[in-house]
């Protein structure tokens, strides 16, 4: 352990109001900590610059999953285990449920939260492509009130986002309108468990009268931020299903992504795998059994 706990202060207000008041009264002085699975790694390495932490773990206001007719609202401090074991999430949002199951091991899933994954903003984060294809809206809260931000506009660059220092993510809203779509998700890592993704994909599609009526594709670990493949989606829209379509989709991928070489993988490997995953999605959408494929 390269940090000394005596150098740190932890506040634990018992209400959401208490947390946002603290953030408002001393702007920029307090860093929220939820499950701590990202922050405690920094702490252990002696790389956590914030000295004052305010806990949002187990605040009831951030821990519920509210289901209404048209949408679900996931409290930002819901853990991966909460997501995996929620019936509506498992049935209607299988890509998010799979991402939760792929994130770390069970101990990590019991502590790590969806809000923490969003704000930590790793391009390799597993749940973020799912939020892109499900068209998530983030509800942000501060002492000034609430505001909503489409998730597509949240990340402004590598590890950068639009959250102000006095704001928290309160909840994540997901429309239930994609529940009948074909779902496809894959995580490619060094092994099946406890591996950060080399590439991950989330995709949804709908065929009507032999034509692709909608396709939504997002990739992780291929750019500074999680990325929607808008050009590929446009290419697929309205197309009759035919075998060469998967190849055309495959070829469209490289121009849209900017993967890097790092300790986990290389740029050529990531480019080839991303293209293959997109092609597999299109093949399965057009010619598969239409059973959701979240491997
Ligand atoms: C062993 C291990 C394996 C892992 N494997 C994976 C993996 O396979 N895939 C993957 O994607 N990630 C993985 N992670 C990363 C981590 O578990 C996730 O990013 C997790 O979702 C972080 O959530 P947390 O609640 O622990 O965040 P914390 O560490 O508590 O916080 C992370 C950041 O988010 C901010 N924050 C948290 N909640 C909020 C909120 N509601 N509003 C505003 N800011 C907030 C904090 O201030 C901090 O900046 C792994 C981590 C470990 C230690």
């Amino acid at each position: 352990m390269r940090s000394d706990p005596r150098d740190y202060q932890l506040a634990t207000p018992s209400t959401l109001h208490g947390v946002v008041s603290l953030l408002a009264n001393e702007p920029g002085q307090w860093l929220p900590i939820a499950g701590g699975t990202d922050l405690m790694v920094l702490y252990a390495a002696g790389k956590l610059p914030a000295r004052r932490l305010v806990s949002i773990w187990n605040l009831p206001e951030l821990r519920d999953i509210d289901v209404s007719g048209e949408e679900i609202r996931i409290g930002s401090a819901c853990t991966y285990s909460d997501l995996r074991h929620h019936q509506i999430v498992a049935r209607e949002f299988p890509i998010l449920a799979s991402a939760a199951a792929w994130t770390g091991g069970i101990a990590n899933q019991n502590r790590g939260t969806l809000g923490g994954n969003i704000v930590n903003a790793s391009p390799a984060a597993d749940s973020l492509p799912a939020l892109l294809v499900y068209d998530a809206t983030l509800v942000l809260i501060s002492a000034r009130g609430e505001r909503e931000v489409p998730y597509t506009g949240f990340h402004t660059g590598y590890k950068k986002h639009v959250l102000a220092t006095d704001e928290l993510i309160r909840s994540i809203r997901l429309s239930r309108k994609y529940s009948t779509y074909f779902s496809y998700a894959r995580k490619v890592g060094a092994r099946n468990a406890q591996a950060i993704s080399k590439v991950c994909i989330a995709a949804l599609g709908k065929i009507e009268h032999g034509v692709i009526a909608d396709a939504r594709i997002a990739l992780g670990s291929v750019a500074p931020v999680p990325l929607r493949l808008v050009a590929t989606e446009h290419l697929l829209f309205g197309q009759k299903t035919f075998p060469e379509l998967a190849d055309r989709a495959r070829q469209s991928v490289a121009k849209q992504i900017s993967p890097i070489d790092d300790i986990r993988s290389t740029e050529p490997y990531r480019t080839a795998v991303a293209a293959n995953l997109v092609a597999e999605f299109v093949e399965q959408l057009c010619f598969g059994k239409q059973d959701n494929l979240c491997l």
Side-chain angles (χ1 to χ4, degrees):
M1 199 71 88
R2 298 210 175 92
S3 299
D4 185 337
R6 288 171 299 189
D7 296 336
Y8 293 83
Q9 189 181 347
L10 178 68
T12 56
S14 56
T15 62
L16 183 55
H17 176 74
V19 175
V20 293
S21 300
L22 192 64
L23 295 176
N25 292 340
E26 296 177 85
Q29 295 299 305
W30 293 90
L31 183 69
I33 178 166
T37 60
D38 282 314
L39 289 183
M40 292 311 286
V41 172
L42 292 177
Y43 170 81
K47 292 183 179 166
L48 181 59
R51 288 288 187 265
R52 301 170 93 190
L53 304 172
V54 54
S55 173
I56 59 169
W57 178 250
N58 258 346
L59 289 180
E61 300 101 315
L62 300 183
R63 201 65 198 271
D64 58 337
I65 299 179
D66 183 42
V67 181
S68 63
E70 292 182 351
E71 66 171 24
I72 64 168
R73 212 175 250 257
I74 301 171
S76 64
C78 284
T79 64
Y80 296 109
S81 297
D82 294 336
L83 295 173
R84 286 186 72 179
H85 298 125
H86 193 274
Q87 280 189 355
I88 300 286
V89 174
R91 195 166 63 227
E92 297 186 22
F93 302 90
I95 299 176
L96 184 59
S98 297
W102 292 333
T103 300
I106 299 297
N108 197 72
Q109 291 167 16
N110 287 339
R111 287 294 300 197
T113 65
L114 187 55
N117 206 225
I118 297 169
V119 178
N120 186 55
S122 162
D126 286 307
S127 60
L128 305 187
L131 300 186
L132 281 178
V133 296
Y134 288 132
D135 230 355
T137 299
L138 304 184
V139 181
L140 310 184
I141 186 167
S142 68
R144 294 169 282 128
E146 286 190 2
R147 65 177 177 127
E148 297 201 346
V149 174
Y151 176 62
T152 45
F154 184 75
H155 302 290
T156 53
Y158 177 70
K159 294 248 175 193
K160 292 194 179 133
H161 49 64
V162 301
L163 199 67
T165 49
D166 65 343
E167 273 180 323
L168 290 174
I169 299 181
R170 188 193 210 289
S171 56
I172 299 100
R173 293 175 47 202
L174 301 180
S175 164
R176 298 176 75 182
K177 70 181 173 192
Y178 301 111
S179 60
T180 56
Y181 277 48
F182 167 68
S183 306
Y184 174 88
R186 287 277 201 124
K187 166 172 178 154
V188 178
R191 53 187 182 181
N192 276 342
Q194 292 279 29
I196 302 295
S197 292
K198 295 170 193 264
V199 180
C200 57
I201 182 170
L204 293 168
K206 183 167 75 163
I207 304 278
E208 278 174 356
H209 313 297
V211 164
I212 298 180
D214 198 4
R216 307 172 63 77
I217 308 170
L219 293 171
S221 230
V222 296
V225 296
L227 197 69
R228 271 282 288 281
L229 291 190
V230 177
T232 309
E233 294 172 359
H234 284 160
L235 179 153
L236 294 171
F237 178 72
Q239 290 289 328
K240 288 197 175 134
T241 60
F242 61 93
E244 295 77 25
L245 193 56
D247 253 342
R248 285 181 50 196
R250 184 200 312 271
Q251 284 160 22
S252 72
V253 173
K255 285 183 235 111
Q256 299 168 75
I257 63 178
S258 49
I260 56 166
D261 293 340
D262 63 11
I263 50 162
R264 281 181 213 108
S265 191
T266 63
E267 180 270 325
Y269 180 84
R270 287 186 158 118
T271 302
V273 170
N276 287 345
L277 293 173
V278 169
E280 186 179 63
F281 160 64
V282 176
E283 274 164 15
Q284 293 294 328
L285 172 67
C286 296
F287 303 110
K289 292 187 204 138
Q290 294 284 307
D291 293 334
N292 290 331
L293 200 61
C294 298
L295 299 174

